[in-house]
Amino acid sequence: MTESAEQIRYRNLLLRIAYDGTDFYGWQIQPERATIQGTLAEVLEQICGEKVPVCGSGRTDAGVHAGGQAANIKTSSPIPCPNLVKAMNRLLPESIRILSAQAVREDFHARYHAQSKLYRYRIFRGEICPPWLSRYVLPYPYPLDEAAMERAAKYFEGTYDFRSFAAADRDEDNEEQATASDTAVQVEKQSSIRTVFSSVLSRQGVELVYNIEGNGFLHHMVRNIVGTLIDIGRGRTKVEAVPEILGARQRSAAGPTAPARGLHLVSVCYPDDIGVAE
Amino acid sequence: MTESAEQIRYRNLLLRIAYDGTDFYGWQIQPERATIQGTLAEVLEQICGEKVPVCGSGRTDAGVHAGGQAANIKTSSPIPCPNLVKAMNRLLPESIRILSAQAVREDFHARYHAQSKLYRYRIFRGEICPPWLSRYVLPYPYPLDEAAMERAAKYFEGTYDFRSFAAADRDEDNEEQATASDTAVQVEKQSSIRTVFSSVLSRQGVELVYNIEGNGFLHHMVRNIVGTLIDIGRGRTKVEAVPEILGARQRSAAGPTAPARGLHLVSVCYPDDIGVAE
């Protein structure tokens, strides 16, 4: 294929991003408010000299953190990836860091091609939470039956309709319109059926740490599962009630939404073959 | 001694305090500005129903953190110590935590009776500093001769006139007027002579950690020592120059002041016999 001189070549780049969500109104761009996506877009426009859309693997809510969020951007700028990382980190606030940039296939989409995501929720069990942890953990110094919570966590592994654990408003993965390249996987994601590969709660020192990995998550799903696990730890809900709660398919069956600050998007996995040479 | 009914009994209480200094204008109370001492005084007035002076072991600057600051307060409130801790933590922002409260002798003074203080300075050596560490470390990804810095750190152990490492304005331990109970130790503290018991820099994972323990510190002393150690790591100053810099007794001989955010007041030590039964 020949290209005319006017034809602009757009590169598709995958960014890995870490952020402290405390001082942002979540991932998604909003007018007049500091958001992760909006801050990234501003900095990219400065560097690339053009509007650069930022397409995340999914939204995170206000106060939720990320150690490994992923997003793809399309730009005509020829800036090499290592230089882009440095330039972005120079301009971004320290609460957002670009960990890496990688050239990927033209059709790569950070949301549609995500194979799995790992979320972590941290509960601080000590009497007094140190100030340097309070943005990143839920302090919960009250009695909890942690063994019951560990058993209950295993019930979430498998393929289920997670509607009981979804926010009533929207679900995280349904925020965008279906595209022409819809596949069976994407159609499935528009339902509230998700597959959880691993759901493990364990004591790590003074923290109770919950790791959940799945092929996608509904809006508030992890926080609602954690709220339900805490109810189980308090003896308000029985371990064996989890299958019933899942079966009820209504939000009122499950526990409350745990606070945002304990939640971390740890990583997003993609197929091995997405990269391209530059 | 008999007490008249009108005579109020004041208790002297030692508080141990942790804080994230990022959002405060330092320890010392100032009008119209959020400070650690001012925030503690406000909360104590609410709980005790009277003005309660808060006397710290020493000031910390804006942006400096504490894992174990100490202060004594005098109050006529009969509130038991464990209840005071809980009540204060309920009212304080999460960036300040009371770790403990203990009844101490009437004449105990958090500053005059401090035997030693341990400060820590954290330098992050990785390429990209995670957002959740950036308030607590100095990110320094550039080359440093860490072995030279380790050797240089040992030169600060001993009793010296640290004037070369003191801010020109004031020194931390001289902020208050001498009292009638002046002792030789207090008089010594009004000079710029201090004893450093231990001064050790070591690599701990991705961080370069500097611990310095001494009987007192001049204003900016730790940050000026760290700035000098970084100059040595960069090859700007020789290891062997440290004794000369100490001997010069002027601020211009030493390196720049390292940023506040990497500095932590870890602990303050007092004699064993300060406590009283209640």
Side-chain angles (χ1 to χ4, degrees):
Chain A
M1 196 181 90
T2 57
E3 291 185 348
S4 74
E6 288 77 23
Q7 223 169 348
I8 299 167
R9 182 181 160 261
Y10 280 92
R11 298 151 73 211
N12 193 8
L13 305 178
L14 170 61
L15 305 179
R16 303 285 188 165
I17 308 151
Y19 48 85
D20 175 335
T22 311
D23 298 329
F24 295 93
Y25 287 90
W27 169 266
Q28 198 188 25
I29 198 160
Q30 293 179 53
E32 312 291 327
R33 284 185 153 181
T35 67
I36 310 291
Q37 191 184 31
T39 306
L40 293 170
E42 270 172 40
V43 163
L44 282 164
E45 187 171 353
Q46 274 188 66
I47 295 168
C48 302
E50 64 186 0
K51 294 255 183 223
V52 180
V54 179
C55 171
S57 77
R59 300 174 184 180
T60 53
D61 282 325
V64 174
H65 315 289
Q69 170 65 291
N72 68 301
I73 58 167
K74 297 205 175 179
T75 178
S76 68
S77 162
I79 185 170
C81 285
N83 302 28
L84 180 66
V85 171
K86 279 186 185 157
M88 289 185 76
N89 284 334
R90 210 153 30 224
L91 294 173
L92 285 167
E94 291 193 345
S95 48
I96 307 179
R97 293 290 89 183
I98 305 300
L99 304 176
S100 67
Q102 174 194 8
V104 288
R105 291 193 326 239
E106 200 183 351
D107 67 342
F108 173 83
H109 188 290
R111 197 177 125 235
Y112 294 149
H113 292 99
Q115 291 179 314
S116 69
K117 287 182 185 177
L118 172 61
Y119 276 99
R120 179 168 299 151
Y121 198 95
R122 296 169 58 182
I123 302 173
F124 186 85
R125 301 288 292 133
E127 190 61 41
I128 294 163
C129 182
W132 39 92
L133 284 184
S134 62
R135 295 168 155 238
Y136 310 115
V137 299
L138 170 67
Y140 198 92
Y142 316 107
L144 283 176
D145 182 345
E146 297 183 6
M149 295 169 73
E150 285 184 30
R151 289 201 311 279
K154 300 306 285 180
Y155 277 108
F156 292 97
E157 294 181 352
T159 301
Y160 300 107
D161 184 333
F162 281 95
R163 205 173 306 172
S164 295
F165 296 91
D169 53 347
R170 60 174 172 85
D171 87 42
E172 186 193 355
D173 287 334
N174 284 351
E175 72 207 21
E176 291 178 25
Q177 294 301 312
T179 67
S181 65
D182 262 6
T183 66
V185 172
Q186 287 154 36
V187 170
E188 188 198 299
K189 281 194 178 176
Q190 285 168 23
S191 79
S192 47
I193 294 168
R194 294 290 182 281
T195 298
V196 169
F197 306 127
S198 164
S199 166
V200 177
L201 182 126
S202 64
R203 183 57 106 110
Q204 293 180 19
V206 79
E207 291 186 24
L208 200 54
V209 177
Y210 177 57
N211 285 313
I212 181 167
E213 185 162 16
N215 68 349
F217 291 88
L218 306 171
H219 188 222
H220 281 182
M221 179 168 145
V222 183
R223 291 164 60 190
N224 291 340
I225 289 176
V226 171
T228 305
L229 290 175
I230 291 174
D231 268 1
I232 289 167
R234 297 172 71 181
R236 286 189 169 190
T237 304
K238 286 191 174 159
V239 176
E240 298 72 25
V242 173
E244 289 164 43
I245 297 171
L246 278 163
R249 295 171 161 213
Q250 45 186 1
R251 180 66 191 91
S252 59
T257 308
R261 61 171 164 172
L263 186 60
H264 304 251
L265 172 55
V266 177
S267 58
V268 184
C269 276
Y270 294 105
D272 288 334
D273 63 350
I274 57 170
V276 294
E278 281 203 313
Chain B
M1 194 180 90
T2 57
E3 289 185 349
S4 73
E6 289 76 25
Q7 223 170 351
I8 300 167
R9 182 179 162 263
Y10 282 92
R11 298 153 71 211
N12 194 7
L13 305 178
L14 169 61
L15 304 179
R16 303 285 188 164
I17 308 152
Y19 48 84
D20 175 335
T22 312
D23 299 329
F24 295 93
Y25 287 90
W27 168 265
Q28 197 188 26
I29 199 160
Q30 293 180 51
E32 313 289 327
R33 285 184 152 181
T35 67
I36 310 291
Q37 191 185 30
T39 306
L40 292 171
E42 271 173 38
V43 162
L44 282 165
E45 187 172 354
Q46 275 187 68
I47 294 168
C48 301
E50 63 187 1
K51 295 257 183 221
V52 180
V54 178
C55 170
S57 77
R59 301 175 183 182
T60 54
D61 281 324
V64 174
H65 315 290
Q69 170 65 291
N72 68 301
I73 59 168
K74 297 205 176 180
T75 177
S76 67
S77 162
I79 185 169
C81 285
N83 303 28
L84 179 66
V85 172
K86 279 185 186 158
M88 289 186 77
N89 284 333
R90 214 157 23 229
L91 294 173
L92 285 166
E94 290 193 346
S95 47
I96 306 179
R97 294 288 89 184
I98 305 300
L99 304 175
S100 67
Q102 174 193 5
V104 287
R105 291 195 325 240
E106 200 184 351
D107 67 342
F108 173 83
H109 188 290
R111 195 177 125 235
Y112 295 148
H113 292 99
Q115 292 180 314
S116 70
K117 289 182 183 177
L118 172 60
Y119 276 98
R120 179 169 298 152
Y121 198 96
R122 295 169 59 183
I123 302 173
F124 186 85
R125 300 288 292 134
E127 190 60 42
I128 294 162
C129 181
W132 38 93
L133 284 185
S134 62
R135 294 169 154 238
Y136 309 115
V137 299
L138 170 68
Y140 199 93
Y142 316 108
L144 283 177
D145 182 345
E146 298 182 6
M149 295 169 73
E150 285 182 32
R151 288 200 311 278
K154 300 305 285 178
Y155 277 107
F156 293 95
E157 294 181 352
T159 300
Y160 300 107
D161 184 334
F162 282 95
R163 205 175 307 172
S164 294
F165 297 92
D169 54 347
R170 58 172 172 87
D171 87 41
E172 186 194 355
D173 287 333
N174 285 350
E175 71 207 22
E176 292 179 26
Q177 293 301 313
T179 66
S181 65
D182 261 9
T183 67
V185 172
Q186 289 154 36
V187 171
E188 187 198 297
K189 282 194 177 177
Q190 286 169 22
S191 78
S192 47
I193 294 168
R194 294 290 182 280
T195 297
V196 169
F197 306 127
S198 164
S199 166
V200 177
L201 183 126
S202 65
R203 183 57 107 110
Q204 294 180 19
V206 80
E207 291 184 25
L208 200 53
V209 177
Y210 177 58
N211 285 313
I212 181 167
E213 185 162 16
N215 69 347
F217 292 88
L218 306 172
H219 188 222
H220 282 183
M221 178 169 148
V222 183
R223 291 164 60 189
N224 291 340
I225 290 176
V226 171
T228 305
L229 290 175
I230 290 174
D231 268 1
I232 289 166
R234 296 171 71 182
R236 287 189 168 189
T237 304
K238 285 191 176 162
V239 176
E240 297 72 27
V242 173
E244 288 166 43
I245 297 171
L246 278 164
R249 295 167 161 219
Q250 47 186 359
R251 179 67 192 92
S252 60
T257 308
R261 61 170 163 173
L263 186 60
H264 304 250
L265 172 55
V266 177
S267 57
V268 184
C269 277
Y270 294 103
D272 288 335
D273 62 349
I274 58 169
V276 294
E278 280 204 313

